[in-house]
Amino acid sequence: MLRTPLCDLLGITYPIIQGGMAWVATGELAAAVSKAGGLGIIGAGNAPPETVRQEIHKVRERTDNPFGVNIYYMSPYVEELIDLVCAEKVPVVTTGAGNPGKHLPKLKAAGVKVIPVVASVALAKRLERLGVDALVAEGMECGGHIGEIATMPLVPQIVDAVHIPVIAAGGIADGRGLAAVLALGAAGVQMGTRFICAEECTVHPNYKEAILKAGDRDAVVTGMPGHYVRVLKNKLTRQFEELAARGASWEEMDRLGTGKLRAAVVEGDVEYGSLMAGQSAALVREIKPAAAIIEEIMAEAEAIISRLGKLVR
Ligand code: TUI
């Protein structure tokens, strides 16, 4: 049985967290992951608080296990969402695309555990000083908005820089990835792309199919300096390339991207939709229930770790 201090911190059975992906990580998916012994997370994205409240209730109708909400700091509703998660006593909040420092006193007072997603050592250190409970160290192999450092060098640097549990993200989709990041000093993994292909994930079937078909070079980076996004290659990414080639403005790029994640998730537009996915898409070959994904990853990681132990004599 493989357990880490993260399991005790969060009250979960397995050290696996599901990424809080905007539009993708609904109450249905979060509930399935939490029910299976991982930590399911609702992705608030740009959704209004009332929508997020309904997703929280969906989780609570399905399981009593701990779960989380991801707050995206570019959302126009950050303040209201902070109040919502405190009022609802959501067990865990993860944050992305910003610094949650000013909200920590309120969240801590409400008993909410706070786990910011970071992509740099400097922000990791600053947030530890402010009292966060753990950190997700997200390498640039991940899907969606990406940082600049890959998981392999990022995770051990953050592990060395802080004393709280570090969860590795970016490029991980199986038990080999879990075993590898435990070797780097992580206390668990966060996976997004793998869970898009969970049966309980409500995205359009075309989105799941695109991940199943993805090869090693299909999860490409689009956008411009300071705002790079990893998505699966399609007609939209070619339009981005054309804009970049003629030196288009940030506004033009932004306009091309607007509404495209929704188009992929809701309408299944795999040609012109934004199919956010990480480099691990090429490792995802099967749609199955979240519980089966977690069981498979745990069994694989345990087998690897015991095999590796036997190499030492
Ligand atoms: O946030 C992400 N990944 C994302 S967000 C997204 S797109 C989206 N689209 C529609 C609605 C909502 C969202 C797709 N992928 N990852 C977490 C992450 N956060 N990685 C890096 C950071 C980060 C960056 C800067 C964290 C903090 C930060 O702080 C700067 C500061 O203020 O110091």
Side-chain angles (χ1 to χ4, degrees), residues 150-181:
T151 302
M152 182 78 94
L154 180 68
V155 171
Q157 290 182 74
I158 293 186
V159 165
D160 286 348
V162 301
H163 302 93
I164 50 180
V166 175
I167 299 148
I172 304 158
D174 58 23
R176 295 172 293 184
L178 171 56
V181 297

PDB file of all heavy atoms in Angstrom, residues 150-181:
ATOM      1  N   ALA A 150      10.332  22.656 -17.075  1.00  0.00           N
ATOM      2  CA  ALA A 150       9.763  21.312 -17.192  1.00  0.00           C
ATOM      3  C   ALA A 150       9.658  20.655 -15.806  1.00  0.00           C
ATOM      4  O   ALA A 150      10.339  21.053 -14.854  1.00  0.00           O
ATOM      5  CB  ALA A 150      10.624  20.472 -18.123  1.00  0.00           C
ATOM      6  N   THR A 151       8.799  19.659 -15.708  1.00  0.00           N
ATOM      7  CA  THR A 151       8.523  18.998 -14.433  1.00  0.00           C
ATOM      8  C   THR A 151       9.791  18.406 -13.793  1.00  0.00           C
ATOM      9  O   THR A 151      10.001  18.569 -12.592  1.00  0.00           O
ATOM     10  CB  THR A 151       7.473  17.883 -14.658  1.00  0.00           C
ATOM     11  OG1 THR A 151       6.298  18.495 -15.212  1.00  0.00           O
ATOM     12  CG2 THR A 151       7.121  17.182 -13.371  1.00  0.00           C
ATOM     13  N   MET A 152      10.604  17.748 -14.602  1.00  0.00           N
ATOM     14  CA  MET A 152      11.787  17.059 -14.052  1.00  0.00           C
ATOM     15  C   MET A 152      12.727  17.998 -13.285  1.00  0.00           C
ATOM     16  O   MET A 152      13.139  17.679 -12.185  1.00  0.00           O
ATOM     17  CB  MET A 152      12.515  16.321 -15.184  1.00  0.00           C
ATOM     18  CG  MET A 152      13.719  15.525 -14.746  1.00  0.00           C
ATOM     19  SD  MET A 152      13.273  13.961 -13.994  1.00  0.00           S
ATOM     20  CE  MET A 152      13.372  12.889 -15.403  1.00  0.00           C
ATOM     21  N   PRO A 153      13.090  19.165 -13.825  1.00  0.00           N
ATOM     22  CA  PRO A 153      13.905  20.082 -13.018  1.00  0.00           C
ATOM     23  C   PRO A 153      13.107  20.921 -12.013  1.00  0.00           C
ATOM     24  O   PRO A 153      13.648  21.324 -10.980  1.00  0.00           O
ATOM     25  CB  PRO A 153      14.565  21.001 -14.057  1.00  0.00           C
ATOM     26  CG  PRO A 153      13.710  20.903 -15.267  1.00  0.00           C
ATOM     27  CD  PRO A 153      13.024  19.578 -15.240  1.00  0.00           C
ATOM     28  N   LEU A 154      11.826  21.216 -12.295  1.00  0.00           N
ATOM     29  CA  LEU A 154      11.051  22.109 -11.408  1.00  0.00           C
ATOM     30  C   LEU A 154      10.757  21.455 -10.058  1.00  0.00           C
ATOM     31  O   LEU A 154      10.927  22.073  -9.003  1.00  0.00           O
ATOM     32  CB  LEU A 154       9.737  22.517 -12.090  1.00  0.00           C
ATOM     33  CG  LEU A 154       8.846  23.452 -11.265  1.00  0.00           C
ATOM     34  CD1 LEU A 154       9.496  24.833 -11.108  1.00  0.00           C
ATOM     35  CD2 LEU A 154       7.455  23.597 -11.904  1.00  0.00           C
ATOM     36  N   VAL A 155      10.294  20.210 -10.099  1.00  0.00           N
ATOM     37  CA  VAL A 155       9.829  19.572  -8.859  1.00  0.00           C
ATOM     38  C   VAL A 155      10.945  19.468  -7.804  1.00  0.00           C
ATOM     39  O   VAL A 155      10.747  19.910  -6.662  1.00  0.00           O
ATOM     40  CB  VAL A 155       9.161  18.203  -9.151  1.00  0.00           C
ATOM     41  CG1 VAL A 155       8.883  17.441  -7.859  1.00  0.00           C
ATOM     42  CG2 VAL A 155       7.870  18.419  -9.941  1.00  0.00           C
ATOM     43  N   PRO A 156      12.124  18.932  -8.123  1.00  0.00           N
ATOM     44  CA  PRO A 156      13.136  18.841  -7.058  1.00  0.00           C
ATOM     45  C   PRO A 156      13.602  20.201  -6.553  1.00  0.00           C
ATOM     46  O   PRO A 156      13.951  20.336  -5.381  1.00  0.00           O
ATOM     47  CB  PRO A 156      14.283  18.064  -7.715  1.00  0.00           C
ATOM     48  CG  PRO A 156      14.047  18.125  -9.174  1.00  0.00           C
ATOM     49  CD  PRO A 156      12.578  18.296  -9.374  1.00  0.00           C
ATOM     50  N   GLN A 157      13.577  21.234  -7.425  1.00  0.00           N
ATOM     51  CA  GLN A 157      13.978  22.571  -6.948  1.00  0.00           C
ATOM     52  C   GLN A 157      12.968  23.108  -5.947  1.00  0.00           C
ATOM     53  O   GLN A 157      13.334  23.711  -4.941  1.00  0.00           O
ATOM     54  CB  GLN A 157      14.108  23.547  -8.126  1.00  0.00           C
ATOM     55  CG  GLN A 157      15.300  23.251  -9.021  1.00  0.00           C
ATOM     56  CD  GLN A 157      15.409  24.273 -10.140  1.00  0.00           C
ATOM     57  OE1 GLN A 157      15.803  25.419  -9.921  1.00  0.00           O
ATOM     58  NE2 GLN A 157      15.069  23.865 -11.341  1.00  0.00           N
ATOM     59  N   ILE A 158      11.680  22.891  -6.214  1.00  0.00           N
ATOM     60  CA  ILE A 158      10.666  23.372  -5.266  1.00  0.00           C
ATOM     61  C   ILE A 158      10.698  22.514  -3.995  1.00  0.00           C
ATOM     62  O   ILE A 158      10.587  23.036  -2.886  1.00  0.00           O
ATOM     63  CB  ILE A 158       9.270  23.430  -5.941  1.00  0.00           C
ATOM     64  CG1 ILE A 158       9.296  24.520  -7.027  1.00  0.00           C
ATOM     65  CG2 ILE A 158       8.179  23.704  -4.911  1.00  0.00           C
ATOM     66  CD1 ILE A 158       7.979  24.824  -7.696  1.00  0.00           C
ATOM     67  N   VAL A 159      10.906  21.224  -4.148  1.00  0.00           N
ATOM     68  CA  VAL A 159      11.020  20.331  -2.978  1.00  0.00           C
ATOM     69  C   VAL A 159      12.158  20.822  -2.068  1.00  0.00           C
ATOM     70  O   VAL A 159      12.014  20.862  -0.838  1.00  0.00           O
ATOM     71  CB  VAL A 159      11.248  18.864  -3.428  1.00  0.00           C
ATOM     72  CG1 VAL A 159      11.731  17.995  -2.274  1.00  0.00           C
ATOM     73  CG2 VAL A 159       9.967  18.292  -4.041  1.00  0.00           C
ATOM     74  N   ASP A 160      13.277  21.209  -2.661  1.00  0.00           N
ATOM     75  CA  ASP A 160      14.420  21.688  -1.869  1.00  0.00           C
ATOM     76  C   ASP A 160      14.153  23.041  -1.216  1.00  0.00           C
ATOM     77  O   ASP A 160      14.739  23.366  -0.195  1.00  0.00           O
ATOM     78  CB  ASP A 160      15.674  21.820  -2.754  1.00  0.00           C
ATOM     79  CG  ASP A 160      16.275  20.468  -3.106  1.00  0.00           C
ATOM     80  OD1 ASP A 160      15.874  19.456  -2.500  1.00  0.00           O
ATOM     81  OD2 ASP A 160      17.142  20.426  -4.011  1.00  0.00           O
ATOM     82  N   ALA A 161      13.256  23.828  -1.839  1.00  0.00           N
ATOM     83  CA  ALA A 161      13.062  25.213  -1.382  1.00  0.00           C
ATOM     84  C   ALA A 161      12.024  25.353  -0.271  1.00  0.00           C
ATOM     85  O   ALA A 161      11.979  26.382   0.394  1.00  0.00           O
ATOM     86  CB  ALA A 161      12.667  26.086  -2.569  1.00  0.00           C
ATOM     87  N   VAL A 162      11.157  24.355  -0.089  1.00  0.00           N
ATOM     88  CA  VAL A 162      10.068  24.483   0.902  1.00  0.00           C
ATOM     89  C   VAL A 162      10.015  23.266   1.831  1.00  0.00           C
ATOM     90  O   VAL A 162      10.657  22.245   1.570  1.00  0.00           O
ATOM     91  CB  VAL A 162       8.687  24.670   0.204  1.00  0.00           C
ATOM     92  CG1 VAL A 162       8.677  25.901  -0.685  1.00  0.00           C
ATOM     93  CG2 VAL A 162       8.294  23.423  -0.595  1.00  0.00           C
ATOM     94  N   HIS A 163       9.213  23.388   2.887  1.00  0.00           N
ATOM     95  CA  HIS A 163       9.083  22.281   3.845  1.00  0.00           C
ATOM     96  C   HIS A 163       7.689  21.668   3.836  1.00  0.00           C
ATOM     97  O   HIS A 163       7.395  20.776   4.625  1.00  0.00           O
ATOM     98  CB  HIS A 163       9.420  22.783   5.256  1.00  0.00           C
ATOM     99  CG  HIS A 163      10.795  23.367   5.343  1.00  0.00           C
ATOM    100  ND1 HIS A 163      11.046  24.719   5.180  1.00  0.00           N
ATOM    101  CD2 HIS A 163      11.990  22.761   5.528  1.00  0.00           C
ATOM    102  CE1 HIS A 163      12.353  24.920   5.260  1.00  0.00           C
ATOM    103  NE2 HIS A 163      12.952  23.752   5.473  1.00  0.00           N
ATOM    104  N   ILE A 164       6.804  22.170   2.989  1.00  0.00           N
ATOM    105  CA  ILE A 164       5.435  21.645   2.898  1.00  0.00           C
ATOM    106  C   ILE A 164       5.354  20.630   1.750  1.00  0.00           C
ATOM    107  O   ILE A 164       6.236  20.609   0.889  1.00  0.00           O
ATOM    108  CB  ILE A 164       4.410  22.801   2.674  1.00  0.00           C
ATOM    109  CG1 ILE A 164       4.879  23.702   1.520  1.00  0.00           C
ATOM    110  CG2 ILE A 164       4.235  23.611   3.952  1.00  0.00           C
ATOM    111  CD1 ILE A 164       3.957  24.870   1.221  1.00  0.00           C
ATOM    112  N   PRO A 165       4.299  19.790   1.723  1.00  0.00           N
ATOM    113  CA  PRO A 165       4.200  18.804   0.643  1.00  0.00           C
ATOM    114  C   PRO A 165       4.112  19.460  -0.743  1.00  0.00           C
ATOM    115  O   PRO A 165       3.443  20.475  -0.914  1.00  0.00           O
ATOM    116  CB  PRO A 165       2.908  18.045   0.966  1.00  0.00           C
ATOM    117  CG  PRO A 165       2.689  18.251   2.424  1.00  0.00           C
ATOM    118  CD  PRO A 165       3.215  19.625   2.718  1.00  0.00           C
ATOM    119  N   VAL A 166       4.803  18.857  -1.699  1.00  0.00           N
ATOM    120  CA  VAL A 166       4.800  19.327  -3.084  1.00  0.00           C
ATOM    121  C   VAL A 166       4.146  18.251  -3.951  1.00  0.00           C
ATOM    122  O   VAL A 166       4.498  17.069  -3.871  1.00  0.00           O
ATOM    123  CB  VAL A 166       6.237  19.608  -3.575  1.00  0.00           C
ATOM    124  CG1 VAL A 166       6.250  19.988  -5.054  1.00  0.00           C
ATOM    125  CG2 VAL A 166       6.884  20.707  -2.729  1.00  0.00           C
ATOM    126  N   ILE A 167       3.195  18.683  -4.756  1.00  0.00           N
ATOM    127  CA  ILE A 167       2.471  17.782  -5.657  1.00  0.00           C
ATOM    128  C   ILE A 167       2.976  18.090  -7.065  1.00  0.00           C
ATOM    129  O   ILE A 167       2.980  19.257  -7.468  1.00  0.00           O
ATOM    130  CB  ILE A 167       0.956  18.056  -5.540  1.00  0.00           C
ATOM    131  CG1 ILE A 167       0.488  17.778  -4.093  1.00  0.00           C
ATOM    132  CG2 ILE A 167       0.162  17.237  -6.552  1.00  0.00           C
ATOM    133  CD1 ILE A 167      -0.653  18.667  -3.650  1.00  0.00           C
ATOM    134  N   ALA A 168       3.384  17.068  -7.793  1.00  0.00           N
ATOM    135  CA  ALA A 168       3.941  17.301  -9.125  1.00  0.00           C
ATOM    136  C   ALA A 168       2.844  17.252 -10.182  1.00  0.00           C
ATOM    137  O   ALA A 168       1.934  16.407 -10.113  1.00  0.00           O
ATOM    138  CB  ALA A 168       5.000  16.252  -9.435  1.00  0.00           C
ATOM    139  N   ALA A 169       2.926  18.143 -11.164  1.00  0.00           N
ATOM    140  CA  ALA A 169       1.970  18.156 -12.277  1.00  0.00           C
ATOM    141  C   ALA A 169       2.695  18.472 -13.565  1.00  0.00           C
ATOM    142  O   ALA A 169       3.727  19.146 -13.561  1.00  0.00           O
ATOM    143  CB  ALA A 169       0.880  19.196 -12.018  1.00  0.00           C
ATOM    144  N   GLY A 170       2.147  17.991 -14.675  1.00  0.00           N
ATOM    145  CA  GLY A 170       2.744  18.260 -15.989  1.00  0.00           C
ATOM    146  C   GLY A 170       3.439  17.034 -16.518  1.00  0.00           C
ATOM    147  O   GLY A 170       4.506  16.659 -16.044  1.00  0.00           O
ATOM    148  N   GLY A 171       2.816  16.365 -17.480  1.00  0.00           N
ATOM    149  CA  GLY A 171       3.466  15.232 -18.137  1.00  0.00           C
ATOM    150  C   GLY A 171       3.226  13.884 -17.482  1.00  0.00           C
ATOM    151  O   GLY A 171       3.824  12.892 -17.892  1.00  0.00           O
ATOM    152  N   ILE A 172       2.339  13.848 -16.482  1.00  0.00           N
ATOM    153  CA  ILE A 172       2.140  12.597 -15.733  1.00  0.00           C
ATOM    154  C   ILE A 172       0.761  12.015 -16.068  1.00  0.00           C
ATOM    155  O   ILE A 172      -0.253  12.707 -15.975  1.00  0.00           O
ATOM    156  CB  ILE A 172       2.230  12.858 -14.216  1.00  0.00           C
ATOM    157  CG1 ILE A 172       3.569  13.516 -13.875  1.00  0.00           C
ATOM    158  CG2 ILE A 172       2.037  11.551 -13.429  1.00  0.00           C
ATOM    159  CD1 ILE A 172       3.561  14.270 -12.568  1.00  0.00           C
ATOM    160  N   ALA A 173       0.739  10.744 -16.463  1.00  0.00           N
ATOM    161  CA  ALA A 173      -0.559  10.134 -16.790  1.00  0.00           C
ATOM    162  C   ALA A 173      -0.633   8.675 -16.363  1.00  0.00           C
ATOM    163  O   ALA A 173      -1.645   8.019 -16.590  1.00  0.00           O
ATOM    164  CB  ALA A 173      -0.837  10.232 -18.291  1.00  0.00           C
ATOM    165  N   ASP A 174       0.438   8.164 -15.749  1.00  0.00           N
ATOM    166  CA  ASP A 174       0.395   6.739 -15.369  1.00  0.00           C
ATOM    167  C   ASP A 174       1.242   6.482 -14.116  1.00  0.00           C
ATOM    168  O   ASP A 174       1.797   7.414 -13.522  1.00  0.00           O
ATOM    169  CB  ASP A 174       0.817   5.854 -16.555  1.00  0.00           C
ATOM    170  CG  ASP A 174       2.213   6.172 -17.073  1.00  0.00           C
ATOM    171  OD1 ASP A 174       3.019   6.727 -16.308  1.00  0.00           O
ATOM    172  OD2 ASP A 174       2.476   5.851 -18.256  1.00  0.00           O
ATOM    173  N   GLY A 175       1.330   5.206 -13.738  1.00  0.00           N
ATOM    174  CA  GLY A 175       2.050   4.844 -12.519  1.00  0.00           C
ATOM    175  C   GLY A 175       3.548   5.086 -12.630  1.00  0.00           C
ATOM    176  O   GLY A 175       4.221   5.325 -11.620  1.00  0.00           O
ATOM    177  N   ARG A 176       4.066   5.054 -13.855  1.00  0.00           N
ATOM    178  CA  ARG A 176       5.490   5.363 -14.043  1.00  0.00           C
ATOM    179  C   ARG A 176       5.758   6.809 -13.672  1.00  0.00           C
ATOM    180  O   ARG A 176       6.753   7.128 -13.014  1.00  0.00           O
ATOM    181  CB  ARG A 176       5.900   5.100 -15.501  1.00  0.00           C
ATOM    182  CG  ARG A 176       5.814   3.646 -15.878  1.00  0.00           C
ATOM    183  CD  ARG A 176       6.032   3.437 -17.359  1.00  0.00           C
ATOM    184  NE  ARG A 176       4.949   4.005 -18.168  1.00  0.00           N
ATOM    185  CZ  ARG A 176       4.864   3.891 -19.491  1.00  0.00           C
ATOM    186  NH1 ARG A 176       5.801   3.235 -20.153  1.00  0.00           N
ATOM    187  NH2 ARG A 176       3.848   4.409 -20.151  1.00  0.00           N
ATOM    188  N   GLY A 177       4.857   7.687 -14.084  1.00  0.00           N
ATOM    189  CA  GLY A 177       4.996   9.113 -13.761  1.00  0.00           C
ATOM    190  C   GLY A 177       4.892   9.348 -12.261  1.00  0.00           C
ATOM    191  O   GLY A 177       5.645  10.142 -11.693  1.00  0.00           O
ATOM    192  N   LEU A 178       3.951   8.650 -11.609  1.00  0.00           N
ATOM    193  CA  LEU A 178       3.804   8.798 -10.155  1.00  0.00           C
ATOM    194  C   LEU A 178       5.083   8.348  -9.447  1.00  0.00           C
ATOM    195  O   LEU A 178       5.624   9.062  -8.599  1.00  0.00           O
ATOM    196  CB  LEU A 178       2.582   8.014  -9.650  1.00  0.00           C
ATOM    197  CG  LEU A 178       2.427   7.902  -8.130  1.00  0.00           C
ATOM    198  CD1 LEU A 178       2.402   9.274  -7.447  1.00  0.00           C
ATOM    199  CD2 LEU A 178       1.147   7.134  -7.762  1.00  0.00           C
ATOM    200  N   ALA A 179       5.591   7.173  -9.825  1.00  0.00           N
ATOM    201  CA  ALA A 179       6.820   6.666  -9.192  1.00  0.00           C
ATOM    202  C   ALA A 179       7.977   7.636  -9.428  1.00  0.00           C
ATOM    203  O   ALA A 179       8.775   7.907  -8.517  1.00  0.00           O
ATOM    204  CB  ALA A 179       7.161   5.284  -9.747  1.00  0.00           C
ATOM    205  N   ALA A 180       8.049   8.183 -10.646  1.00  0.00           N
ATOM    206  CA  ALA A 180       9.152   9.091 -10.987  1.00  0.00           C
ATOM    207  C   ALA A 180       9.130  10.347 -10.124  1.00  0.00           C
ATOM    208  O   ALA A 180      10.165  10.771  -9.613  1.00  0.00           O
ATOM    209  CB  ALA A 180       9.083   9.464 -12.472  1.00  0.00           C
ATOM    210  N   VAL A 181       7.949  10.951  -9.943  1.00  0.00           N
ATOM    211  CA  VAL A 181       7.930  12.203  -9.179  1.00  0.00           C
ATOM    212  C   VAL A 181       8.061  11.954  -7.677  1.00  0.00           C
ATOM    213  O   VAL A 181       8.544  12.825  -6.943  1.00  0.00           O
ATOM    214  CB  VAL A 181       6.709  13.106  -9.504  1.00  0.00           C
ATOM    215  CG1 VAL A 181       6.766  13.542 -10.967  1.00  0.00           C
ATOM    216  CG2 VAL A 181       5.395  12.462  -9.140  1.00  0.00           C
TER     217      VAL A 181
END
